[in-house]
């Protein structure tokens, strides 16, 4: 029983009124949350993209965002620790239970952040999420031009567990574009040569900066232009074999020449091939500084 | 005789000698008779004596007091109101000093109800205290020997003793003061009756005292609507209300929102159905005052050990979203004076 609710003075006496309390209770069952929408994009909160394009030679960011719903209230799923994301190529062993691999299976933790927003309070049932995931440029491509996994796609699978450990999930499919790219040193310097000399061998590392095995084309922009005169690009001989003999191989041309180098897709370490160059200077008609441009263009591996 | 005759014959020799003999003889006989008579008058014997002492009726010395054990030693005549204890009985005391010139044993040998009587009753205005002494037993208005427990002090001067009489009074005593008490002009007294062994009686009445109005209730302490899904409706639950005061009462009720492990349930999700009007449902009120639900039950005052009360049905309509887990709130039920006094 409760103490006196009021002690009301009326004239020379008072009467006493009491109140009593009834503790009411109910237990509301838990309802599992659900992922309402999921989008994959190269842009923050961007429109859903069917194809994600890696960045050449460096890590890149993709976003997985959408909304989730919990009938019990969004506060039931508003802690980042309740959320998990798995990005994986559909054909990888284990599927969404795959082991982490920068090429085909991401279980983002340290390389991602999750932002939860839009939950205005216990009576609100919706929440917006966005994962920002940093991926390696050499993740396995699955688009039509991919050399190995064109029949696969990638999955983004978002799972949220509410406080009662009931889970909701949703997966989205997307393709990772094939990126064939390479890098080479910016300068090939043959040093100072006398007319009629043949340079020493210059080693040029061609590095695969895409996500598929590649060959490449090579061509010269034209003859090397000197302070006086010029040197035909055909005087620049090249080969994939170290110590090649100048006269045993051909020289550059102004059109693409395919080089079947087969530079494989990087996995754990950088993947590259070395190409060797030598320049033979004409016996007359040129002097001073000479220069041109040699272009390396990645192509599908043959 | 032979020897005497012979003697006489021996003394016929002279007439004077015979007269002497006769004189002496008669003298001796007289003396012997006298001695015997005296001896007969000095013998011991028993003789029964009796006296009848009239009975003295016991008397009361000083006032008979009505008091609270361990509290106010003299309630009557005070301006203090005696408010019954909600839902239970309260022990009071009646004390005084009784004397009997026939000795203490004349009244203290038997302290059962046949000799010691106590009534506590409401006295109507315009009448004397003794006018109400013939009231019929009622726990609400006329309590007789409610608790036969008399403590006696030491017998003083062989004739006088103090007495302390413990008496339990119920929570539903009719109030004798207050705007809601029809008997507001009445007063309460305690009347003591003590009889000695000869059934000579002494009575004493305390000065009047007032029983205050008590508007109190007890309600089912917990209501569990069970485990429900969002959007669900609970089964009907029964709330029992018991009048633990001394006034006919109605009820008001309000509550706060349910607080859940996650989220909340608005207080208006609880619906109430008055048992006296099954067609009326109303959401739980939101606060004391204008928002609370008013239920006009007219629950009577208890009149015996059986309590008086009523019931209401409540149920919970759970919102479709926004809460999870255990949810609790507190519904406050307040007694409201109906305006009449039960009996």
């Amino acid at each position: 029983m409760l103490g006196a609710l009021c002690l009301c003075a009326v004239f020379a006496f008072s009467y006493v009124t009491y109140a009593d309390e009834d503790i009411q209770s109910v237990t509301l069952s838990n309802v599992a949350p659900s992922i309402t929408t999921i989008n994959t994009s190269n842009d923050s909160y961007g429109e859903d993209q069917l194809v994600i394009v890696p960045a050449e030679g460096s890590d890149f960011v993709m976003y997985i965002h959408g909304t989730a719903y919990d009938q019990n209230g969004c506060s039931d799923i508003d802690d980042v620790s309740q959320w998990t994301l798995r990005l994986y190529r559909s054909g990888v062993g284990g599927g969404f239970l795959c082991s982490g691999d920068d090429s085909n299976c991401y279980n983002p933790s340290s390389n991602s952040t999750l932002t939860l927003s839009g939950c205005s309070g216990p009576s609100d049932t919706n929440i917006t999420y966005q994962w920002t995931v940093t991926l390696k440029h050499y993740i396995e491509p699955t688009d039509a031009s991919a050399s190995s996994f064109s029949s696969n796609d990638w999955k983004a699978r978002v799972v949220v567990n509410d406080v009662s450990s009931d889970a909701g999930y949703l997966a989205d499919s997307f393709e990772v574009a094939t990126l064939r790219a390479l890098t080479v040193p910016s300068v090939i310097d043959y040093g100072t040569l006398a007319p009629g000399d043949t340079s020493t061998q210059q080693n040029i590392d061609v590095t695969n900066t895409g996500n598929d095995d590649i060959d490449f084309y090579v061509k010269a922009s034209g003859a090397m232009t000197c302070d006086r005169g010029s040197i035909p690009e055909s005087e620049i001989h090249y080969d994939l074999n170290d110590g090649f003999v100048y006269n045993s191989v051909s020289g550059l041309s102004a059109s693409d020449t395919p080089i079947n180098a087969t530079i494989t897709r990087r996995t754990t370490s950088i993947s590259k091939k070395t190409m060797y160059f030598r320049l033979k200077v004409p016996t007359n008609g040129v002097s001073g500084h000479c220069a041109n441009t040699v272009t390396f263009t990645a192509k599908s591996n043959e | 005789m032979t020897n005497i005759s012979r003697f006489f014959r021996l003394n016929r020799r002279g007439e004077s000698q015979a007269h002497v003999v006769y004189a002496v003889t008669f003298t001796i006989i007289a003396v012997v008779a006298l001695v015997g008579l005296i001896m007969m008058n000095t013998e011991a014997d028993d003789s029964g004596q009796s006296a009848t002492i009239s009975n003295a009726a016991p008397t009361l010395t000083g006032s008979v007091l009505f008091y609270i054990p361990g509290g106010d030693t003299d309630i009557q005549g005070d301006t203090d109101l005696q408010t019954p204890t909600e839902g239970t009985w309260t022990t009071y005391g009646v004390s005084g000093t009784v004397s009997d010139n026939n000795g203490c044993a004349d009244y203290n040998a038997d302290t059962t109800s046949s000799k010691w009587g106590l009534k506590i009753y409401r006295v109507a205005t315009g009448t004397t205290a003794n006018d109400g002494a013939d009231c019929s037993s009622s726990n609400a208005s006329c309590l007789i020997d409610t608790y036969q427990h008399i403590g006696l002090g030491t017998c003083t001067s062989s004739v006088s003793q103090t007495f302390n009489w413990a008496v339990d009074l119920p929570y539903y005593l009719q109030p004798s003061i207050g705007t809601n008490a029809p008997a507001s002009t009445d007063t309460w007294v305690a009347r003591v009756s003590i009889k000695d062994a000869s059934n000579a009686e002494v009575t004493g009445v305390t000065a009047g005292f007032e029983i205050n109005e008590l508007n109190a209730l007890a309600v089912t302490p917990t209501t569990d609507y069970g485990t429900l899904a969002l959007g669900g409706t609970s089964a009907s639950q029964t709330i029992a209300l018991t009048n633990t005061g001394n006034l006919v009462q109605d009820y008001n009720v309000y509550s706060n929102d349910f607080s859940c492990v996650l989220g909340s349930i608005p207080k208006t999700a609880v619906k109430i159905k008055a048992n006296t009007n099954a067609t009326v449902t109303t959401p739980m009120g939101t606060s004391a005052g204008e928002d609370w639900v008013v239920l006009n039950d007219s629950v009577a005052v208890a009149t015996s050990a059986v309590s008086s009360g009523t019931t209401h049905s409540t149920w919970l309509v759970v919102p479709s979203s926004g809460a999870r887990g255990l949810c609790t709130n507190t519904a406050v039920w307040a007694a409201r004076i109906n305006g009449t006094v039960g009996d």
Side-chain angles (χ1 to χ4, degrees):
Chain A
M1 292 176 220
L2 196 62
L5 182 65
C6 67
L7 193 62
C8 308
V10 179
F11 302 110
F13 65 91
S14 62
Y15 66 84
V16 179
T17 293
Y18 289 85
D20 203 2
E21 293 181 346
D22 171 31
I23 306 301
Q24 302 185 110
S25 63
V26 63
T27 300
L28 299 181
S29 304
N30 187 64
V31 179
S34 59
I35 304 297
T36 313
T37 62
I38 183 169
N39 300 282
T40 54
S41 177
N42 283 114
D43 303 316
S44 178
Y45 298 103
E47 291 185 359
D48 189 37
Q49 296 176 205
L50 297 178
V51 179
I52 298 300
V53 180
E56 178 187 349
S58 62
D59 294 344
F60 71 104
V61 171
M62 75 170 290
Y63 302 89
I64 299 95
H65 66 88
T67 56
Y69 170 82
D70 192 311
Q71 192 175 355
N72 298 111
C74 56
S75 299
D76 218 14
I77 50 174
D78 66 351
D79 191 305
V80 295
S81 66
Q82 298 171 278
W83 293 72
T84 56
L85 168 66
R86 189 66 64 94
L87 292 172
Y88 61 99
R89 181 172 53 75
S90 60
V92 73
F96 66 83
L97 297 178
C98 59
S99 300
D101 187 317
D102 287 342
S103 294
N104 51 39
C105 180
Y106 285 80
N107 183 12
S109 54
S110 60
N111 62 332
S112 67
T113 58
L114 172 62
T115 302
L116 299 174
S117 60
C119 180
S120 61
S123 61
D124 190 358
T125 54
N126 294 297
I127 193 168
T128 299
Y129 67 91
Q130 176 169 273
W131 292 90
T132 303
V133 186
T134 300
L135 302 174
K136 298 299 183 183
H137 69 272
Y138 50 85
I139 64 171
E140 293 168 348
T142 57
D143 62 1
S145 67
S147 61
S148 299
F149 306 112
S150 60
S151 61
N152 290 176
D153 58 13
W154 276 75
K155 305 290 186 185
R157 186 174 188 269
V158 173
V159 180
V160 59
N161 290 274
D162 64 13
V163 175
S164 301
S165 298
D166 286 332
Y169 69 94
L170 188 64
D172 187 26
S173 299
F174 60 97
E175 303 287 357
V176 171
T178 299
L179 173 65
R180 297 186 179 95
L182 56 78
T183 59
V184 293
S186 58
V187 174
I188 304 173
D189 186 359
Y190 296 101
T192 300
L193 300 172
D197 282 352
T198 299
S199 72
T200 58
Q201 176 180 286
Q202 301 301 307
N203 303 339
I204 302 300
D205 287 338
V206 182
T207 303
N208 187 340
T209 57
N211 62 1
D212 204 357
D213 297 345
I214 58 170
D215 292 332
F216 58 86
Y217 297 104
V218 62
K219 70 176 181 180
S221 57
M224 298 180 77
T225 302
C226 304
D227 292 337
R228 186 172 70 86
S230 62
I231 302 174
E233 63 271 18
S234 58
E235 296 299 321
I236 304 170
H237 289 198
Y238 59 90
D239 197 13
L240 292 174
N241 296 308
D242 187 12
F244 74 96
V245 178
Y246 181 84
N247 289 326
S248 65
V249 297
S250 58
L252 289 174
S253 72
S255 59
D256 283 328
T257 301
I259 307 297
N260 295 322
T262 307
I263 307 175
T264 59
R265 181 183 59 84
R266 174 183 174 175
T267 53
T268 56
S269 58
I270 293 172
S271 178
K272 64 182 181 181
K273 281 287 179 68
T274 303
M275 197 169 184
Y276 306 96
F277 288 86
R278 299 184 72 183
L279 170 63
K280 184 175 182 179
V281 181
T283 56
N284 55 56
V286 293
S287 64
H289 181 260
C290 302
N292 71 349
T293 300
V294 177
T295 299
F296 296 78
T297 302
K299 63 182 284 288
S300 60
N301 179 237
E302 300 297 334
Chain B
M1 290 299 291
T2 301
N3 292 335
I4 295 172
S5 297
R6 190 182 303 148
F7 181 75
F8 285 160
R9 276 192 306 271
L10 289 172
N11 289 288
R12 282 178 183 172
R13 295 170 184 166
E15 282 292 327
S16 59
Q17 287 180 326
H19 290 295
V20 170
V21 170
Y22 286 130
V24 170
T25 301
F26 283 122
T27 300
I28 293 170
I29 293 171
V31 169
V32 171
L34 181 60
V35 170
L37 182 61
I38 294 171
M39 289 180 67
M40 288 176 63
N41 288 334
T42 58
E43 284 182 351
D45 199 358
D46 292 334
S47 177
Q49 301 179 91
S50 65
T52 301
I53 301 172
S54 61
N55 182 63
T59 59
L60 292 171
T61 304
S63 300
V64 178
L65 303 177
F66 184 70
Y67 70 100
I68 300 174
D72 193 340
T73 58
D74 182 8
I75 294 172
Q76 69 277 14
D78 284 1
T79 56
D80 295 340
L81 298 172
Q82 291 311 301
T83 300
T85 304
E86 176 187 358
T88 189
W89 291 51
T90 303
T91 299
Y92 288 87
V94 176
S95 67
T97 302
V98 60
S99 299
D100 192 320
N101 288 334
N102 298 115
C104 294
D106 206 22
Y107 59 79
N108 71 9
D110 182 2
T111 57
T112 63
S113 58
S114 64
K115 296 294 186 181
W116 290 68
L118 173 65
K119 278 190 176 181
I120 297 176
Y121 51 94
R122 184 166 51 77
V123 178
T125 183
T127 62
T128 66
N130 282 318
D131 288 338
D134 59 350
C135 61
S136 298
S137 177
S138 164
N139 281 339
S141 60
C142 180
L143 295 98
I144 303 173
D145 291 331
T146 59
Y147 178 41
Q148 190 70 26
H149 182 78
I150 304 166
L152 294 175
T154 304
C155 180
T156 304
S157 302
S158 301
V159 295
S160 178
Q161 278 180 287
T162 59
F163 63 86
N164 287 282
W165 202 317
V167 54
D168 284 353
L169 301 183
Y171 61 91
Y172 48 84
L173 278 181
Q174 292 175 342
S176 58
I177 193 169
T179 55
N180 304 288
S184 62
T185 58
D186 290 4
T187 189
W188 282 76
V189 295
R191 183 179 185 273
V192 171
S193 167
I194 304 172
K195 295 176 182 176
D196 65 10
S198 301
N199 284 329
E201 181 183 28
V202 61
T203 62
V205 180
T206 65
F209 56 90
E210 303 291 355
I211 296 298
N212 197 14
E213 294 174 318
L214 172 64
N215 194 33
L217 80 160
V219 64
T220 305
T222 59
T223 301
D224 186 359
Y225 294 101
T227 299
L228 299 174
L230 289 168
T233 299
S234 76
S236 176
Q237 303 296 314
T238 299
I239 306 294
L241 300 164
T242 303
N243 187 341
T244 57
N246 60 9
L247 295 171
V248 178
Q249 61 190 198
D250 297 327
Y251 301 106
N252 296 335
V253 59
Y254 70 95
S255 73
N256 53 348
D257 289 344
F258 285 85
S259 177
C260 304
V261 173
L262 176 66
S264 62
I265 301 174
K267 46 193 159 276
T268 52
V270 174
K271 312 299 181 184
I272 302 173
K273 180 188 291 181
N275 65 334
T276 54
N277 188 346
T279 63
V280 175
T281 60
T282 183
M284 186 73 80
T286 55
S287 63
E290 295 180 354
D291 281 343
W292 62 10
V293 175
V294 176
L295 300 166
N296 296 317
D297 293 295
S298 298
V299 174
V301 180
T303 56
S304 66
V306 178
S307 60
S308 178
T310 187
T311 60
H312 286 283
S313 297
T314 66
W315 66 96
L316 178 64
V317 179
V318 180
S320 60
S321 65
R324 177 182 53 74
L326 178 63
C327 306
T328 60
N329 78 343
T330 301
V332 178
W333 292 78
R336 178 166 49 83
I337 297 172
N338 177 263
T340 58
V341 177
D343 184 27

